[in-house]
Amino acid sequence: MSELSTLNIMYLPGVGPKRAEILKQELRVVSYEDLIYYFPYRYVDRSRIYTISEMQPDMQHIQLKGHIASLRTVGEGRGKRMSAVFTDGTGQVELVWFKGLKFVKGSIQANATYLVFGKPSVFNGAINMVHPELELYDENKSRIQSGLQPQYNTSEKMKSHFLNSKAIQKLVFNLFQSYQGKIPESLPAWIIEKYRLTILNDALRTIHFPKDTQLLEKARFRLKLEELFYIQLNILRLKNQRTFHIKGHIFNTVGSYLNLFYKEHIPFELTNAQKRVIREMRQDMGSGRQMNRLLQGDVGSGKTLVALMVMLIALDNSYQTCLMAPTEILAGQHFETIAEQVASLGIQVALLTGSTKKAERERIHAALRNGEMQILIGTHALIEDTVVFKNLGLVVIDEQHRFGVQQRARLWKKNLNPPHVLVMTATPIPRTLAMTVYGDLEVSVIDELPPGRKPIQTMHYFHNRRNQLNRFLQEEMDKGRQIYVVYPLIDESEKLDFKNLTEGYEYMQKSFPHAQVVMVHGRMKSAEKEAAMHIFASGQAQIMVATTVIEVGVNVPNASVMVIESAERFGLSQLHQLRGRVGRGAEQSHCVLMTSFKLAEETRKRMEIMTRTNDGFEIAEADMKMRGPGDLEGTQQSGLPFDLKIANLTRDSQILQLGRDIAMNVLEQDPLLEQAPNQILVRQLRKLARAKINWGMIS
Ligand code: ADP
Ligand code: MG
């Protein structure tokens, strides 16, 4: 479609320099092609005309035909509005405008027949319509016959320049008028035939100007399938290339480190799920191919232990290994647990973070280079170019969602032959999203918690139950338990949040004069943070008041109560993460969600889901349904083009699966995409890459 992509939207009739600038700013629409791919977000059926006598308050948008009997301005100041009486012979209804009064007044013609389009609402017991669309009937007769009307999203700024949905529709209409050619196909003919798809030219015209719902559905199907297919083809092709070009370090020795550790250092039996995922990884690492695996498992499912065992396999094969965590606190915790667990095996372990002192840093650097240092644990300080390994065989990345794709990629380059990569995440990812964001990774799932864990009990309290909460907290402390109290910390109102946090800290001190309270937040120096963490972890303090810095990984088994203040300000997966900080010991744990009374419907639902289930996957699915994948935590950095133009990862999972199947099928038959009929695929992939779509890949 090279032609369409080189035609500048500025020269389209009805656009011009000013509107072109707005289209570019607001929609990133620059070329004809961009506009064609700016799809309607829904359609309304305007073939049906309702009568005023049929109107009901709970109707969706409807269309009336009639004329305006009278028009007047009423009210003063903020209540000032334009009110019209509209009649169609079956009754009358009030139309109301609060904005653009002058414009409405100036444009309404007496005695003309109008089409009114809007949603009925109720005011003072009577039905009215607020801010309806008005069109002259005579000018729009032909459109009524076509029925389905596209609706385009537009911004406030666009509307103020009269670029509303209808105007966009008009521009697209002009575009197809001035571009009479056939839009070139972007899928191979054999795929079109095999799956009986609408050809691109027809699909694009139909998506903007549907003749009926059936054709529209076929067009939408084709465009969705194409979008998801190319994402899958791209991911799977890169994965293929990796398999072709990269030789994996072969770990075929089962040596003494793993055996000793397994036999003598684990006080419990591994769960079946842990055994299974370790087996999956051993297979990868013994195969001669490079492992790229995502390990998913809910908080507390024992991923860290699995990672350590896999790391020991690397050591048994004389390779070095490193583990990267998203925060210093976490890296420090991993270091402590792991160093303690492997101490008696005589393994060299070091911790490297941004605050490692220069002398220590140099010592570590040297020991890594000469190969003495076997396990390195740290933050993104590990990625720096000054960190050079003698022979790095395995990289483990914990809590993956905090790391950008680029950071992952840099770890690859730490050895001439890229190391095996194990990515661990405690944020369960819905299947469709995983297939898309991590489509290049193999996936292992730990779907079983160690035995004996009691499910966390979650309660939702409004603020008026604070006394009751305090009594409960006192009881738990009397039993010897520890408590987290978490406050939100969001950049926009950092000052206010900080005030809430310190007030919360003082409040807890005052309410529990016999308890020791510590505070941890992101503004503290890391030494201070660590000191406070230590006081809490050692059991000296009973209460920790903190921001979400404790969200991931922190492990204090005796802490069995998590209070989340202003819980309405957290997303579902974040709430789940926070809750995962408790329930790590043998005691019954509790999570209390504190909110104000006034909750939006969606927030109420979030609280309801949290109190109902502990299942991370169910929560992740619900989160994606409620917010859409673009807002899911961690996906921002994943680099996936979440501005999917038409497909929806929640609703279109079957189409996604089909797209993936087709892509696999293509690559099985033509792994390097060399065959003539597939050249269109190569061109299209290149074009998508040029469009600077970052596909969420290590490449
Ligand atoms: P995750 O990293 O998945 O959140 P961890 O590896 O930190 O979980 O494990 C949580 C706790 O459970 C740790 O204290 C760990 O020692 C313990 N644990 C891990 N696997 C088992 C098991 N199979 N049986 C009993 N306890 C286990
Ligand atoms: Mg963990």
Side-chain angles (χ1 to χ4, degrees), residues 565-580:
E565 296 286 346
S566 304
E568 62 264 50
R569 287 177 55 188
F570 293 96
L572 266 180
S573 30
Q574 212 178 4
L575 289 172
H576 183 63
Q577 278 294 315
L578 286 169
R579 178 168 61 181

Side-chain angles (χ1 to χ4, degrees), residues 107-120:
S107 59
I108 283 179
Q109 300 172 20
N111 300 324
T113 305
Y114 278 102
L115 284 172
V116 168
F117 181 70
K119 190 176 168 354

Side-chain angles (χ1 to χ4, degrees), residues 169-280:
Q169 189 186 3
K170 186 89 200 338
L171 293 183
V172 179
F173 181 80
N174 291 350
L175 192 156
F176 282 121
Q177 286 285 303
S178 68
Y179 184 86
Q180 291 288 349
K182 188 169 164 188
I183 299 165
E185 188 47 60
S186 52
L187 283 173
W190 67 266
I191 292 183
I192 304 257
E193 271 161 40
K194 184 164 173 190
Y195 298 95
R196 299 176 192 203
L197 303 177
T198 309
I199 63 166
L200 182 65
N201 180 70
D202 298 352
L204 289 174
R205 286 171 194 269
T206 299
I207 201 89
H208 293 287
F209 300 102
K211 292 215 175 64
D212 61 51
T213 38
Q214 224 179 346
L215 288 173
L216 176 62
E217 269 326 297
K218 280 205 78 179
R220 285 169 60 81
F221 179 81
R222 183 236 141 92
L223 294 169
K224 285 177 179 181
L225 180 63
E226 171 170 0
E227 187 168 42
L228 296 170
F229 163 74
Y230 273 112
I231 291 177
Q232 291 302 320
L233 185 66
N234 191 62
I235 292 176
L236 292 170
R237 187 170 68 139
L238 288 175
K239 182 177 165 191
N240 249 10
Q241 284 171 351
R242 232 163 34 200
T243 327
F244 272 111
H245 298 304
I246 298 175
K247 271 222 193 72
H249 304 280
I250 299 184
F251 295 177
N252 51 12
T253 314
V254 179
S256 52
Y257 286 138
L258 182 67
N259 280 334
L260 262 178
F261 180 74
Y262 188 62
K263 292 204 185 92
E264 291 171 23
H265 293 263
I266 313 180
F268 38 71
E269 184 64 13
L270 293 181
T271 62
N272 286 329
Q274 283 173 315
K275 287 184 193 160
R276 172 171 43 76
V277 301
I278 291 174
R279 212 162 40 234
E280 284 166 359

Side-chain angles (χ1 to χ4, degrees), residues 15 46 73 106 183 188-189 263 313 378 399-400 460 486 594 684:
V15 181
R46 309 246 334 226
T73 313
I183 299 165
K263 292 204 185 92
I313 299 176
E399 309 293 358
Q400 190 275 340
H460 172 206
V486 175
M594 297 298 291
Q684 203 63 17

